[in-house]
C-alpha cells in the first residue's frame, strides 16, 4: 500500500467553502485578464454580450464562451498570450500529428505553479525526498518530461532524466541507480516490462515501487498488467499541454478518481448540447485555468469523457475527483454506424489469456463498407501452439470483441515483438479511410 503523503495539507484539505471562494475570486481575475489582454476573448465575450463584471461567482462560468483546440491553431503561435512575449520564459507545444501544433506559453510564475502542482501529484503516489524518480517521458516541446522532472525535484527526490528511447539503457539505469518510481506513458511502461522479461531480468534487483503514468488513455486492465509485471503501484496523472501539462489531476492511494487541483483549475462536465450536468454524470470534461498568467484559457473543451465526484475521499484531500478518462470524443471511430472507442477494444483484449498487451487497430473501406482489423501479438509461451489452437484463440478474441464493442472485427495474430513500439504516446489506430 502506498504511503498517504499529502505534500501541501493546507491547500489540499481545504473546505469546499474555501475552494469555492478561491475559485470565484480567481475566475473574476482571469476573466478580466483575458478580456483586457487577449483580443480573441474580448471578441468572443462581446459577441455574446458578456462583460468581466458579469462574472462574480464560480457558477457564473456558464456565461463564458468555450475554447476549442482549433482556436489555438487559428491563433498560432502567440495570439492567445495574455502577457507581452518578453514575459514568456518557456514555450511548449502539443505533439499533434497534423497541421500546426498547439502552443502554450509560460511565465516564471506559471512554471513555479506547475512544479508545485506536479509535486502535489507525485506525492499522491507516495513519492518523497527519499525517492529515486526515473523520468522516461520525452523531454523537449512535449510537457511530460520537464513536468515530471521539476515536480520530483520540488519534492526533493533524486531525478534520473532518462527521457524516451534506448530501452536497454533505460533498464540498466533503472536497475543500477535504484529507481523507486517510474514516470512515463503507460504504453512505454509496458514496453519496458516486455524488455525486462525478454532479457530475463531478475526483478528482485529492481527497486521500483510506484509508477506515474499519463499522456494517453489507459484502462484498469492495463493498470493491473503493469502492477503485476513491474511489481509497482500504478498511478494515473492527467494533464494537457493547453492547460499546463501533467499535474492537472492525479489519483491518490485510494485510486477512486483523480483529484483535480481546484485552486488552479475549474472543471465542468457538459453533455452533447454543451450544457452543464450534475456531479456523477458522465460527459465531456471542460477546464478553465484560474491562475495561469502566460496563456489562460476559458472553458477549454478537452474532449475527454469523464465525470466528477465531489464526495469526500478517504485520503483526506477535498478537491473534486474526476473519473479516469476512458475515451476521447474526438478519438471515436464510427464503423458501420457504430461508435467505437479504441479503449473499448483494449479493455476487451486485456481480458483474454494468450495474447500480449500490444495491439493496433486498422480501419479501412472496401467498396462502401467500413472494415476494422485488430492486430494483436501472441504471448511468447504460445509460439509452439498448433494452427488449430491459434485459430481457436483468434475466434475467441473476435467473439469477445463482438460482445463488448457490438461490431464484428477481423483479428490478426502477430508474432511477439512485431508490432510497432512507442517511446511516447502510443499510436493505436491506423485509419486508411482518411
Amino acid at each position: 500500500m502506498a504511503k498517504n503523503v499529502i505534500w501541501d495539507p493546507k491547500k489540499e484539505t481545504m473546505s469546499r467553502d474555501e475552494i469555492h471562494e478561491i475559485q470565484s475570486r480567481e475566475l473574476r481575475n482571469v476573466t478580466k485578464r483575458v478580456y483586457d489582454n487577449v483580443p480573441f476573448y474580448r471578441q468572443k465575450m462581446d459577441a455574446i454580450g458578456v462583460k468581466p463584471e458579469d462574472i462574480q461567482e464560480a457558477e457564473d462560468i456558464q456565461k463564458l464562451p468555450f475554447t476549442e483546440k482549433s482556436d489555438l491553431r487559428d491563433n498560432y503561435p502567440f495570439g492567445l498570450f495574455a502577457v507581452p512575449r518578453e514575459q514568456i520564459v518557456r514555450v511548449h507545444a502539443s505533439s499533434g500529428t497534423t497541421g500546426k501544433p498547439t502552443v502554450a506559453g509560460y511565465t516564471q510564475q506559471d512554471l513555479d505553479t506547475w512544479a508545485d502542482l506536479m509535486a502535489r501529484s507525485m506525492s499522491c503516489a507516495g513519492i518523497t525526498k527519499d525517492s529515486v524518480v526515473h523520468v522516461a517521458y520525452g523531454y523537449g516541446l512535449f510537457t511530460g518530461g520537464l513536468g515530471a522532472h521539476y515536480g520530483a525535484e520540488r519534492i526533493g527526490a533524486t531525478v534520473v532524466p532518462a527521457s524516451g528511447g534506448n530501452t536497454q539503457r533505460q533498464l540498466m539505469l533503472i536497475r543500477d541507480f535504484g529507481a523507486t518510481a517510474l514516470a512515463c506513458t503507460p504504453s512505454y511502461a509496458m514496453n519496458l516490462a516486455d524488455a525486462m522479461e525478454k532479457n530475463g531480468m531478475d526483478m528482485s534487483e529492481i527497486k521500483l515501487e510506484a509508477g506515474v503514468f499519463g499522456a494517453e488513455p489507459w484502462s484498469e486492465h492495463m493498470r493491473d498488467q503493469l502492477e503485476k509485471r513491474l511489481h509497482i503501484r500504478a498511478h494515473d496523472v492527467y494533464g494537457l499541454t493547453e492547460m499546463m501539462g501533467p499535474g492537472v489531476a492525479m489519483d491518490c492511494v485510494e485510486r477512486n478518481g483523480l483529484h483535480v487541483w481546484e485552486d488552479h483549475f475549474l472543471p465542468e462536465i457538459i453533455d452533447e448540447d454543451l450544457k452543464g450536468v450534475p456531479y456523477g454524470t458522465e460527459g465531456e470534461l471542460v477546464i478553465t485555468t484560474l491562475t495561469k498568467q502566460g496563456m489562460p484559457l476559458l472553458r477549454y473543451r478537452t474532449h475527454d469523457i469523464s465525470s466528477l465526484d465531489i464526495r469526500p475521499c478517504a485520503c483526506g484531500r477535498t478537491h473534486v475527483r474526476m473519473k479516469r478518462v476512458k475515451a476521447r470524443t474526438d478519438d471515436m471511430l464510427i464503423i458501420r454506424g457504430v461508435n467505437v472507442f479504441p479503449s473499448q477494444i483494449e479493455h476487451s483484449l486485456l481480458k483474454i489469456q494468450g495474447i500480449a498487451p500490444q495491439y493496433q487497430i486498422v480501419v479501412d473501406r472496401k467498396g462502401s463498407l467500413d472494415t476494422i482489423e485488430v492486430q494483436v501479438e501472441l504471448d511468447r509461451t504460445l509460439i509452439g501452439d498448433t494452427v488449430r489452437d491459434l485459430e481457436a484463440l483468434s475466434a475467441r478474441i473476435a467473439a469477445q470483441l463482438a460482445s463488448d464493442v457490438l461490431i464484428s472485427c477481423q483479428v490478426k495474430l502477430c508474432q511477439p515483438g512485431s508490432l510497432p513500439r512507442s517511446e511516447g504516446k502510443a499510436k493505436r489506430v491506423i485509419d486508411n479511410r482518411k
Side-chain angles (χ1 to χ4, degrees):
M1 183 67 178
K3 293 170 284 187
N4 185 19
V5 180
I6 298 183
W7 188 72
D8 193 346
K10 183 178 179 181
K11 295 180 179 178
E12 294 178 56
T13 62
M14 291 184 290
S15 70
R16 293 304 308 174
D17 287 343
E18 288 175 304
I19 291 174
H20 181 268
E21 182 180 349
I22 289 173
Q23 289 189 322
S24 296
R25 182 188 71 231
E26 296 299 342
L27 183 61
R28 291 192 295 269
N29 291 340
V30 72
T31 301
K32 187 175 189 310
R33 190 159 65 249
V34 299
Y35 188 86
D36 291 344
N37 298 299
V38 184
F40 166 78
Y41 279 119
R42 185 162 56 252
Q43 293 166 10
K44 292 266 283 191
M45 290 172 64
D46 286 347
I48 58 176
V50 177
K51 299 295 183 184
E53 54 267 27
D54 296 326
I55 307 301
Q56 294 298 318
E57 300 293 328
E59 290 77 11
D60 292 330
I61 186 75
Q62 296 188 27
K63 298 177 182 178
L64 293 170
F66 290 104
T67 308
E68 299 274 6
K69 178 169 283 194
S70 59
D71 296 325
L72 277 70
R73 293 197 177 108
D74 291 344
N75 288 276
Y76 174 91
F78 304 145
L80 293 183
F81 287 4
V83 300
R85 204 276 311 152
E86 55 268 23
Q87 293 183 27
I88 298 293
V89 299
R90 190 192 298 171
V91 173
H92 279 286
S94 71
S95 55
T97 56
T98 60
K100 295 177 179 178
T102 54
V103 175
Y106 303 74
T107 65
Q108 186 57 55
Q109 179 179 326
D110 292 334
L111 293 181
D112 291 340
T113 298
W114 187 12
D116 285 342
L117 294 185
M118 273 303 291
R120 279 192 206 180
S121 299
M122 299 179 85
S123 294
C124 286
I127 294 171
T128 70
K129 62 182 179 58
D130 298 319
S131 301
V132 178
V133 182
H134 184 97
V135 180
Y137 284 114
Y139 282 65
L141 287 176
F142 176 56
T143 55
L146 288 171
H149 183 116
Y150 286 113
E153 281 193 344
R154 184 61 57 92
I155 291 172
T158 300
V159 179
V160 181
S163 192
N166 202 337
T167 298
Q168 294 303 313
R169 183 176 178 82
Q170 300 255 11
L171 298 183
M172 179 186 72
L173 297 179
I174 289 171
R175 180 191 62 208
D176 295 350
F177 291 1
T180 59
L182 172 64
C184 62
T185 62
S187 56
Y188 190 60
M190 197 68 76
N191 193 11
L192 290 171
D194 288 343
M196 286 180 181
E197 293 174 2
K198 184 177 181 180
N199 292 351
M201 290 185 68
D202 183 354
M203 294 304 292
S204 67
E205 297 180 354
I206 305 300
K207 298 181 179 180
L208 288 176
E209 299 173 352
V212 177
F213 304 131
E216 60 191 22
W218 53 301
S219 66
E220 284 295 327
H221 284 281
M222 182 173 280
R223 191 204 294 262
D224 293 341
Q225 289 274 330
L226 288 169
E227 292 189 332
K228 179 180 178 181
R229 300 176 72 191
L230 294 175
H231 302 179
I232 59 171
R233 303 176 309 274
H235 290 264
D236 192 4
V237 64
Y238 177 81
L240 307 92
T241 298
E242 300 90 325
M243 292 288 99
M244 180 182 74
V248 172
M250 178 77 178
D251 63 5
C252 63
V253 295
E254 301 298 327
R255 296 194 300 187
N256 55 6
L258 288 77
H259 290 281
V260 182
W261 305 128
E262 291 182 275
D263 49 341
H264 294 273
F265 305 98
L266 202 166
E268 309 169 74
I269 300 292
I270 61 172
D271 60 19
E272 293 180 352
D273 296 322
L274 309 185
K275 302 296 184 183
V277 299
Y279 288 115
T281 305
E282 190 172 89
E284 180 186 340
L285 178 66
V286 173
I287 303 178
T288 296
T289 62
L290 295 175
T291 60
K292 196 170 183 185
Q293 303 296 308
M295 200 183 81
L297 296 180
L298 301 181
R299 305 191 79 189
Y300 183 74
R301 294 186 60 187
T302 69
H303 293 280
D304 289 329
I305 298 174
S306 184
S307 62
L308 297 176
D309 188 347
I310 201 172
R311 293 174 298 177
C313 181
C315 76
R317 294 175 180 86
T318 53
H319 294 249
V320 71
R321 285 167 287 137
M322 59 176 277
K323 186 178 180 181
R324 295 184 71 210
V325 174
K326 72 174 187 180
R328 290 179 54 84
T329 59
D330 53 358
D331 280 350
M332 183 178 71
L333 299 167
I334 301 178
I335 309 296
R336 300 193 291 278
V338 177
N339 296 342
V340 178
F341 293 98
S343 55
Q344 290 177 298
I345 292 176
E346 176 184 298
H347 184 82
S348 292
L349 294 177
L350 290 174
K351 295 178 182 178
I352 300 169
Q353 296 294 320
I355 56 177
Q358 298 289 349
Y359 68 94
Q360 195 158 61
I361 302 164
V362 180
V363 183
D364 216 325
R365 179 170 289 134
K366 295 181 179 178
S368 59
L369 183 66
D370 290 339
T371 64
I372 181 168
E373 179 181 81
V374 179
Q375 303 175 353
V376 293
E377 287 187 8
L378 288 167
D379 189 289
R380 293 181 183 277
T381 61
L382 296 185
I383 298 303
D385 280 21
T386 65
V387 171
R388 181 175 296 178
D389 291 334
L390 296 180
E391 289 177 345
L393 174 60
S394 180
R396 190 161 71 250
I397 296 170
Q400 186 70 60
L401 289 170
S403 174
D404 292 344
V405 186
L406 305 180
I407 193 169
S408 60
C409 303
Q410 301 172 35
V411 175
K412 180 180 179 181
L413 300 179
C414 304
Q415 293 295 312
S418 61
L419 291 179
R421 269 24 178 201
S422 172
E423 295 173 359
K425 294 186 180 183
K427 183 175 175 57
R428 299 295 196 189
V429 179
I430 299 174
D431 194 342
N432 293 323
R433 298 174 302 175
K434 299 179 180 179

